[in-house]
Amino acid sequence: MNNRQTFFVTSPIFYPNAQPHLGHAYTTLLCDVLARHHRLVGDEAYFLTGTDEHTEKVVQAAKAQGQKPEEYLEEIVARFKNLYQKLDISYDQFIRTSDQKIHLPGAIEMWNRLVTAGDLYKSSYIGLYCVGHEAFMTEKELVDGLCPDHGMAPEKVTEVNWFFRLSKYASQIEKFIADGTLPIIPESRKKEILSFIRSGVQDVSFSRPKEKMTWGIPVPNDPGQTMYIWVDALTNYITALGFGRGEELMRFWPGMHVIGKDILRFHTVFWPAMLLSANLPLPKMVFVHGTIISNGKKMSKTLGNVINPYELIKKYGTDATRYLLLRHVHSTEDTDVTWEKLDEWYTANLTNGLGNLIARVMQMATTYLQGPVEMTPETQSDTDVAAHLEKFEFNHAMDSIWERIGHDDALIAIEKPFAGVKSDEENVRDEALLIIKKLVRELHAIATDLEPFMPSTSAQIKEAVLAHKKPENLFPRI
Ligand code: MSP
C-alpha cells in the first residue's frame, strides 16, 4: 500500500508577452524549494508551472515581430524553460493554456459545470477595460481617471458577456477564509482579502465577444464569445492533473498555490468560487510571497531598473542566485534588490561565509585526518530549518543555516584546531583532531539543510566530505 502523502504546488502561469524577469524566477524558485523539501521528507510531490497564453498582448507582441502567436510563443516558452533549467527548477509539468490536448478539455468541462450549477448568465456590461491589466477596473481603482499601474485611461466598453454569480459565493468564501478552511498566508493578506469581500462582491464577466478576444477558447454553444481569463487561466491548476480528460493525476488535488499579491483576489475569491460551483475541493492553501523592487520602485522597463535573472545567474552562478533570492528577499514583504546589495550579500555570505568554511574545514581534514570522517547521528540537520520552511519563512530557514555557519566559524577561531594539531602535547593534538572531525560532520549537516535551497552545492559538499577531498572553489571572489 502507498501511504505517502501527496503534495501539489503551483506557481502562477506567467504571461509570455515579455521576457521572464526576476519576479517570475522568484515565485517559481519558492515552489521549487517546497517541492524539493516535500520530496526529501518522502512525500509524493508534484510541481506545476506554465504560461498563460490566451491574451491579446501575445497577439500584439507576435504581430509586432511579424510572427504568428504560435511561432512567437515557441521562442518565448523556450526562454522560460531555459531559465528554469538554469535555475535548477525541478518542475514536473509545464502547462500552456493554448495546449488543445492538455488544457482545452478541462476548461470546457469547467465552463459546463458552472452552467450546470446555474452560475453563468448572459448580460450586457458597461465597463472600464484596462489593456495593461487585461481586466475591467472599477472607478474606485482609478487615480485621476488613469489606471495607477499602467498610467493609461481605461477604455469604456459596452458589450454582452457571460457573467459568473460570484456574489452567490461571497459569504461562504468569507467564512472559509475566516475560519481557516481556506488558509491564506501571511495573515496580512488574509485580512486584506476579508476586507475586500466585506466591502461587497459583484458578479464577474467570464467571457468577451470574439472580436475583442480574438485568441482563446470559444464558449461552449456560444462561439461568438471567448472564455475570459478566469476559466481559461485559473483552471490550469486542475486541467494539468487531467481534469476533463481522464483525471489521471487528480489525486494531487487539492494543492497549494504560490502567488504574488497582484493576483490575490483571483486565487482566494474567484477561483474558490469556481471550485465550489463546480463541486470540487478548495485549494489546500494560498501562500502570497513578497515582491522584489529595485531602487525603491517596482521593476519596470521604462524605469530601466529591471534586474534580469539571466544576468544574475551569469554573474554569480545557479546556486548563488538561488541563495540570493531565497535568503535576501523577504518571504512576505517587499524587498529592495540592487546590484550593489547582491554583490555585498554574495561576498559576505557565500565567498567569505559558506565558501570559506568549506575550504578551511576540508583543508584541515585532508591535511590532518587519515581518511573520511564517519558520520554520527548527533550532527544532524537543524530542525529550525524545516520548521521555518513549514511556515514558508524561506529567508528565516536560510538564516538558521547561516547561524550554524557562523557558530562553526567561531569554533575555528576560538579553538584554533589548525594550531592544536601541531602541538607537542598529545592530548592537545587529539582534541584538535576531534574538533576537525566535528567540523566535517557539521559540513555534512549543513549540506543536508541546504539541499532544497542549493541542491548542487549540497551535493558537492557531501561529495567532498564523503570522498575526503577538497571541493573546487564554490563561490569565487567577484
Ligand atoms: N497570468 C497571470 C497569472 C494567472 S495565474 C492563473 C499573471 N502573470 S504574470 O506574468 O504577470 O505573473 C505574475 C506573477 O509573477 C506574480 O503573481 C508574482 O508571483 C510574480 N511576480 C511578478 N513581478 C514580481 C516581483 N517584482 N516580485 C516578485 N514576484 C513578482 O499575472
Side-chain angles (χ1 to χ4, degrees):
M1 230 185 71
N2 184 358
N3 288 323
R4 289 165 78 202
Q5 302 247 16
T6 54
F7 174 77
F8 178 41
V9 62
T10 71
S11 80
I13 46 171
F14 302 106
Y15 287 131
N17 51 288
Q19 302 297 333
H21 64 63
L22 205 55
H24 302 140
Y26 180 62
T27 308
T28 317
L29 184 54
L30 297 186
C31 299
D32 184 62
V33 173
L34 294 173
R36 286 178 185 272
H37 170 67
H38 280 269
R39 287 185 200 119
L40 285 167
V41 300
D43 292 344
E44 193 187 0
Y46 198 82
F47 166 16
L48 174 71
T49 188
T51 39
D52 185 357
E53 305 191 349
H54 286 137
T55 100
E56 284 308 293
K57 278 196 213 158
V58 163
V59 180
Q60 288 156 13
K63 217 177 183 176
Q65 298 196 16
Q67 288 175 318
K68 289 199 183 113
E70 291 81 354
E71 281 167 349
Y72 167 82
L73 283 172
E74 282 308 321
E75 216 175 289
I76 202 109
V77 166
R79 281 221 139 218
F80 270 92
K81 288 188 177 169
N82 180 262
L83 172 64
Y84 292 170
Q85 195 202 346
K86 289 212 153 99
L87 257 186
D88 216 350
I89 300 290
S90 62
Y91 63 85
D92 293 291
Q93 188 181 156
F94 189 107
I95 192 168
R96 300 181 53 182
T97 54
S98 70
D99 192 319
Q100 311 264 318
K101 235 170 67 203
I102 302 289
H103 181 64
L104 181 85
I108 291 174
E109 170 72 16
M110 175 57 90
W111 187 278
N112 288 337
R113 288 210 190 184
L114 305 186
V115 171
T116 307
D119 288 336
L120 287 173
Y121 61 93
K122 230 170 170 180
S123 174
S124 68
Y125 181 79
I126 307 166
L128 299 166
Y129 187 80
C130 170
V131 185
H133 274 116
E134 303 210 23
F136 286 100
M137 302 190 71
T138 60
E139 292 278 2
K140 265 197 284 183
E141 288 167 330
L142 304 181
V143 177
D144 297 329
L146 304 179
C147 162
D149 291 336
H150 297 97
M152 294 188 290
E155 285 172 41
K156 247 206 180 107
V157 293
T158 308
E159 54 186 45
V160 172
N161 292 166
W162 284 94
F163 277 75
F164 175 63
R165 291 187 202 284
L166 187 63
S167 56
K168 175 173 149 188
Y169 295 98
S171 64
Q172 270 185 73
I173 290 173
E174 180 191 342
K175 179 180 159 290
F176 288 147
I177 293 176
D179 71 11
T181 306
L182 173 56
I184 299 174
I185 295 170
E187 191 67 22
S188 56
R189 299 290 167 210
K190 171 176 169 177
K191 285 197 181 126
E192 177 184 332
I193 205 66
L194 283 173
S195 88
F196 165 74
I197 300 173
R198 286 168 189 157
S199 73
V201 172
Q202 288 163 6
D203 292 350
V204 203
S205 157
F206 258 42
S207 74
R208 296 208 70 203
K210 192 173 161 41
E211 317 83 75
K212 299 279 172 56
M213 242 188 109
T214 56
W215 199 46
I217 302 175
V219 168
N221 306 316
D222 190 3
Q225 293 273 319
T226 308
M227 285 185 199
Y228 196 34
I229 179 166
W230 315 124
V231 172
D232 185 6
L234 288 163
T235 313
N236 91 86
Y237 298 131
I238 53 175
T239 61
L241 301 179
F243 178 70
R245 53 167 181 94
E247 313 235 326
E248 75 274 23
L249 294 168
M250 274 303 274
R251 67 198 156 86
F252 281 103
W253 187 256
M256 78 163 283
H257 302 305
V258 173
I259 58 165
K261 60 185 175 189
D262 51 335
I263 50 177
L264 176 66
R265 283 180 198 177
F266 314 155
H267 286 77
T268 55
V269 185
F270 292 29
W271 175 230
M274 288 162 61
L275 289 165
L276 288 174
S277 172
N279 206 12
L280 289 164
L282 295 177
K284 206 176 260 172
M285 172 176 309
V286 179
F287 173 67
V288 192
H289 62 70
T291 305
I292 301 174
I293 53 175
S294 186
N295 277 322
K297 303 220 168 61
K298 198 175 160 175
M299 279 188 280
S300 94
K301 262 200 221 150
T302 4
L303 290 172
N305 63 346
V306 175
I307 296 183
N308 177 337
Y310 288 102
E311 282 179 51
L312 238 84
I313 298 166
K314 204 165 137 210
K315 182 162 188 191
Y316 307 110
T318 299
D319 270 12
T321 299
R322 292 175 64 107
Y323 164 84
L324 291 167
L325 293 174
L326 291 167
R327 176 144 189 237
H328 295 286
V329 175
H330 192 285
S331 304
T332 54
E333 310 280 335
D334 287 1
T335 302
D336 199 295
V337 171
T338 58
W339 283 109
E340 293 74 28
K341 287 189 194 170
L342 289 166
D343 283 354
E344 218 177 283
W345 294 328
Y346 175 89
T347 304
N349 302 317
L350 291 178
T351 309
N352 297 341
L354 179 59
N356 186 45
L357 179 71
I358 300 166
R360 287 181 82 187
V361 172
M362 288 318 293
Q363 170 68 29
M364 290 190 284
T366 50
T367 314
Y368 302 113
L369 303 177
Q370 303 302 323
V373 175
E374 217 174 282
M375 292 302 137
T376 57
E378 70 262 21
T379 34
Q380 277 174 349
S381 67
D382 187 340
T383 44
D384 283 356
V385 177
H388 283 303
L389 210 44
E390 296 291 336
K391 289 188 277 177
F392 313 109
E393 296 165 350
F394 298 87
N395 52 328
H396 293 323
M398 296 292 263
D399 289 343
S400 297
I401 303 178
W402 260 260
E403 236 168 69
R404 190 168 189 161
I405 293 171
H407 285 144
D408 293 337
D409 274 338
L411 184 70
I412 300 176
I414 294 165
E415 300 289 341
K416 300 192 176 48
F418 47 87
V421 284
K422 294 177 192 149
S423 166
D424 297 335
E425 293 170 51
E426 193 179 343
N427 62 333
V428 176
R429 286 201 306 274
D430 287 349
E431 181 60 25
L433 292 175
L434 283 179
I435 291 169
I436 296 173
K437 285 185 186 166
K438 176 180 164 54
L439 286 164
V440 174
R441 291 192 191 104
E442 278 289 302
L443 279 189
H444 195 267
I446 288 168
T448 301
D449 283 336
L450 281 175
E451 202 164 338
F453 305 96
M454 302 168 77
S456 98
T457 303
S458 161
Q460 279 169 287
I461 300 174
K462 282 193 175 171
E463 201 205 322
V465 164
L466 300 176
H468 194 55
K469 61 168 198 188
K470 276 195 281 179
E472 60 178 284
N473 187 359
L474 295 177
F475 308 105
R477 219 158 267 290
I478 44 162

